[in-house]
Amino acid sequence: MLGRPRAVARLISLIENAVAGPDRAPDAGTALREVMAELATGTREPYRAWVIGLTGAPGVGKSTTTSMLIRTLRGRDARVGVLAVDPSSPFTGGALLGDRVRMQEHATDPDVFIRSMSSRGHLGGLAWATPQALRVLEAAGCDVILVETVGVGQAEVDIAKLADTTVVLLAPGMGDGVQAAKAGILEIADVFVVNKADREGARATVRELRNTVSLATAPWRPPVVTTVAVRGEGADELSTALDGHLAYLEESGEARRRRLARARDEIEAIALARLRSRFSGLHGDRLDALAERLLAAEIDPYTAADDLVAAVAHAER
């Protein structure tokens, strides 16, 4: 199916429309269930593709590094899918979707599929539709899927739940050692990349990261790689570090543990989305009435919440 990029693109659009809700695409939800049933029971085993997440603050060079990785992977004849998540406007919901501009050299390669996705207000660095879009790219025959997150801060760590290998990119001048130590995003890294390593302060950044890694007690200690992605420098070193982590995943059994966790998260997210959808259809007038009673000190918030949950349960019968 990777040879039919329009079909792949339409399936991902179907996912995005279904996530947008019945008001925008009333038939998308039903069609999506049928498609996902086919993909889940198809000939290709789900969760077989190697999913590599790339995350980091805005401006560290995620898109350029992604493009460099595509070049390396294609040199091995791997079929590559890319999901690049862009931030959406809080006012219009629109997004520039400009990440793929930096990957234009791969646009005509039939074994590379690049899709930009709007976060649509979803926090955590990803879009709501990203997990299901991964399933489509796996079914399309991708060997490796690169997921580039929105430019993130200290706490957006959703990519770690989705990827087999998480690459955290940093650049010189992004903060001192204290800033690095308190950034929760550093805790999810399987590989660190200090990009723009030709800039002043790169050595200090590498030193601080290696000091942080030396304190780790986990079986896998993330390597620290330096790159100048815009010139392709460090590509081999990054590839070696990624291969090392993949070997660790397979030998330790961590790959299965992570993919099982991803499957659980996928099921839970779909179930919660269905509950939210049904809740939104019931909560209007009832919620207003409960809010009035709470304001009048006639009821406590937990009892009010119980009332809403009971209403949803009753509607299910």
Side-chain angles (χ1 to χ4, degrees), residues 31-72:
L32 179 60
R33 288 180 65 102
E34 295 174 357
V35 168
M36 286 301 157
E38 288 291 330
L39 295 183
T41 57
T43 56
R44 186 175 170 89
E45 181 185 348
Y47 304 113
R48 278 186 55 190
W50 183 16
V51 180
I52 302 174
L54 296 97
T55 191
V60 296
K62 293 187 296 297
S63 296
T64 309
T65 302
T66 299
S67 183
M68 183 177 73
L69 265 178
I70 296 171
R71 201 178 311 124
T72 301

Side-chain angles (χ1 to χ4, degrees), residues 170-196:
L170 301 96
M174 302 299 289
D176 58 14
V178 174
Q179 193 74 5
K182 71 177 184 178
I185 192 173
L186 298 189
E187 297 179 10
I188 68 171
D190 297 308
V191 175
F192 284 111
V193 173
V194 178
N195 191 34
K196 306 182 182 181

Side-chain angles (χ1 to χ4, degrees), residues 107-124:
T108 58
D109 189 333
D111 287 315
V112 176
F113 181 88
I114 301 171
R115 174 70 177 230
S116 292
M117 307 181 75
S118 169
S119 64
R120 299 194 181 188
H122 180 54
L123 301 178

